[in-house]
Amino acid sequence: MELFSHGKIKKVEQRHAPEVSKQTGFPSPATHYLEPSIHLDQELITNRDATFFVRIDSDELADFLINKNDVLIIDRSLYPKENNLAMVVVEGEFKVIRIPPKEKSTTFILWGVITYIIHSCK
């Protein structure tokens, strides 16, 4: 019994080519699972390296509509504009302020601009 053969290997003439499936009959109710899911980090973050999340543990910021257990998304790479909410350092403490008009002179160290507030529903 001889297991070896020599010579050229013949090329396969017909191969199966993948195609898009053709719809036949009633559509599957599970087709909505094929839609891509939403990734909040892709939707809400523009600069991943300069973005931080801060969870608020009190109701002190209710004036800014920021409640207990809300999450602030803060981007440190953005330049603040008038009326933006921002996290600043004043006398060694973190505070949330609204950026004042240029006419008012206030002293603070900008830590980052608040881009989104994620509210807790609980």
Side-chain angles (χ1 to χ4, degrees), residues 47-96:
N47 187 349
R48 184 179 305 263
D49 294 332
T51 301
F52 293 86
F53 299 91
V54 175
R55 183 175 302 277
I56 304 301
D57 63 354
S58 69
D59 285 323
E60 292 178 15
L61 302 173
D63 294 342
F64 299 112
L65 302 176
I66 300 172
N67 305 317
K68 184 176 182 177
N69 293 325
D70 287 354
V71 176
L72 306 180
I73 300 178
I74 302 172
D75 192 337
R76 295 197 67 191
S77 67
L78 295 178
Y79 187 79
K81 297 177 183 170
E82 185 178 328
N83 282 332
N84 282 146
L85 285 177
M87 176 83 61
V88 297
V89 179
V90 178
E91 297 177 6
E93 291 186 25
F94 285 107
K95 295 192 182 281
V96 173

Side-chain angles (χ1 to χ4, degrees), residues 23-29:
Q23 182 71 35
T24 57
F26 183 74
S28 171

